[in-house]
Amino acid sequence: MKKFTWLALVLTAVLVIAGCGAGKGNTGSGDAAGNGNASGNTDTESGAGNSGNTEQKQYKIGISQIAEHPSLDATREGFLAALKDAGIEEGKNLKVDFNNAQGDPTNNLSIAQKLADADNDLILAIATPSAMAVAEQEQETPTLFAAVTDPLGAKLVTNLDKPGANISGASDTNPEAIVRLMDFIAANFPKVKSVGLVINEGEPNAVVMADKAEEALKANGIELVRAAVTNTSEVQQAAESLVGRVDALYITLDNMVVSAIDTLIEIANEEKLPLFSSDRDTVEQGAFATVGFKYYDHGYQVGQMAVEILKNGANPGDMKITFPDKLDFILNLKAAQAMGIEVTDAMKKEVVDQEQNLIQP
């Protein structure tokens, strides 16, 4: 009986083990069937993992621009192009909050306050008034400026090599450019004894440039006559007030005045007054000459700084203020015809890159 019982127990154990094996086989089969689910779960997890790998970091940038005119617009376009070339593209992984103050100081301040309250990864301020307002309202978010003539004079930074705090950027002027242009006027326009300047005295960059131009003209025995404006609607009247009193016209990087460049060009053409400017874009529109560069390239340079901040964690306070270094004379020959200017070979020789900077009729 014991022998039978022992044998029965052995047989039972074998059957149980076999049954477990079969059960395991079923479980395996169930896993295979369930592997559809498991695979689905794995795919989901894998998808999430892939999403984590392929999903791009999202960026938010606030832009404050004092007014709408070709140079400032080109600056913004160049800035965004540099970001796009680095894989930061609007509509994909970049959200841009663009604000245009339309030259209004109240709007400018409101925009700065709005951007300071927003959750941006970076702020771009285009032109001196915008940069000053943003700098006053925001001391933490990385901030870059562009189209600023005198960062030190505007008290945006205290050191050009190491700005400190949360701000850096690029100046859009080189004092040498102003001197070269004034010397050009003296050398090639012997009949010019006075130059008229429409200016917003409330814009620091315009005043700095005007003072530099006045100094350079004075060294050549030429007088600078100023006509002040407080808003864009006054530009025409101010320009007309200079007619008969001056032999040529000049404008600085004065945002209020440049916004009314078409009016100035029309008066210059009607009165046959040579019109000199401080940026390439106004020459392309119809001013006669400048010593300058492309504002698109200027904006692109600032965009490259933004990439370093956004992608590599660079600190704006450690980034040097940059200045334009590729200066050249830019002459508009069609504008010369409209203003009754005889363009001499001596004038043309001042243009180094004649293919790009000698604008043909």
Side-chain angles (χ1 to χ4, degrees):
M1 184 68 181
K2 289 181 181 179
K3 186 174 180 180
F4 175 79
T5 301
W6 179 83
L7 181 59
L9 289 171
V10 171
L11 290 172
T12 301
V14 170
L15 291 172
V16 170
I17 292 170
C20 288
K24 192 170 185 177
N26 288 339
T27 302
S29 174
D31 280 345
N35 260 345
N37 293 333
S39 175
N41 291 336
T42 302
D43 285 346
T44 302
E45 290 172 6
S46 174
N50 288 339
S51 175
N53 291 333
T54 60
E55 184 180 354
Q56 293 178 304
K57 175 177 170 60
Q58 298 296 306
Y59 299 94
K60 233 182 123 179
I61 291 178
I63 298 179
S64 175
Q65 182 172 314
I66 189 62
E68 183 178 3
H69 67 66
S71 295
L72 301 188
D73 293 342
T75 297
R76 186 179 73 253
E77 291 165 7
F79 175 83
L80 294 174
L83 293 179
K84 182 178 179 180
D85 288 347
I88 303 175
E89 184 175 357
E90 193 172 6
K92 291 186 177 179
N93 62 339
L94 171 63
K95 183 177 180 181
V96 177
D97 178 14
F98 171 64
N99 303 270
N100 185 346
Q102 300 294 345
D104 186 285
T106 302
N107 290 345
N108 186 43
L109 178 58
S110 297
I111 290 169
Q113 292 170 337
K114 170 192 169 186
L115 295 181
D117 292 337
D119 184 22
N120 290 301
D121 296 301
L122 184 141
I123 296 173
L124 171 68
I126 304 177
T128 302
S130 295
M132 291 174 68
V134 169
E136 183 179 348
Q137 297 296 322
E138 178 57 71
Q139 287 83 43
E140 294 182 7
T141 301
T143 299
L144 292 174
F145 57 75
V148 169
T149 299
D150 185 8
L152 291 173
K155 297 183 179 176
L156 294 171
V157 299
T158 56
N159 188 305
L160 297 176
D161 291 331
K162 196 175 178 65
N166 65 317
I167 191 166
S168 187
S171 171
D172 63 350
T173 190
N174 185 322
E176 179 190 350
I178 300 173
V179 175
R180 286 175 63 183
L181 184 60
M182 298 306 113
D183 288 347
F184 176 85
I185 295 173
N188 295 282
F189 294 84
K191 292 183 180 180
V192 171
K193 301 302 178 185
S194 59
V195 174
L197 172 70
V198 178
I199 181 173
N200 170 22
E201 298 279 3
E203 190 162 335
N205 63 303
V207 175
V208 169
M209 295 184 73
D211 290 346
K212 190 69 179 178
E214 185 170 28
E215 180 184 348
L217 287 171
K218 187 176 180 180
N220 287 291
I222 300 174
E223 179 187 9
L224 182 71
V225 181
R226 305 188 191 204
V229 296
T230 57
N231 58 64
T232 303
S233 65
E234 296 175 356
V235 170
Q236 180 174 349
Q237 183 178 354
E240 289 173 345
S241 75
L242 292 169
V243 175
R245 300 166 55 206
V246 300
D247 307 307
L249 297 172
Y250 166 64
I251 58 171
T252 67
L253 297 173
D254 186 325
N255 296 294
M256 185 178 291
V257 176
V258 174
S259 295
I261 185 60
D262 289 341
T263 298
L264 285 166
I265 291 170
E266 184 178 349
I267 292 172
N269 291 344
E270 287 178 358
E271 302 297 333
K272 303 305 178 188
L273 289 170
L275 173 59
F276 301 90
S277 74
S278 299
D279 67 287
R280 179 191 183 91
D281 297 291
T282 53
V283 172
E284 289 180 347
Q285 277 192 268
F288 168 56
T290 190
V291 176
F293 55 91
K294 291 184 178 180
Y295 267 80
Y296 181 92
D297 295 339
H298 172 70
Y300 195 95
Q301 187 177 35
V302 181
Q304 290 176 315
M305 297 175 75
V307 171
E308 286 299 307
I309 293 169
L310 296 172
K311 282 197 161 185
N312 301 322
N315 177 13
D318 296 330
M319 304 175 82
K320 287 184 178 182
I321 305 300
T322 61
F323 293 85
D325 55 3
K326 295 180 180 178
L327 299 174
D328 194 6
F329 275 89
I330 305 161
L331 306 183
N332 186 330
L333 303 186
K334 182 178 180 180
Q337 291 178 352
M339 295 171 194
I341 300 169
E342 182 183 348
V343 181
T344 64
D345 290 339
M347 292 182 191
K348 293 179 181 179
K349 284 181 181 178
E350 296 283 358
V351 183
V352 176
D353 185 353
Q354 297 201 2
E355 183 176 347
Q356 293 293 322
N357 297 329
L358 203 57
I359 301 171
Q360 301 293 332

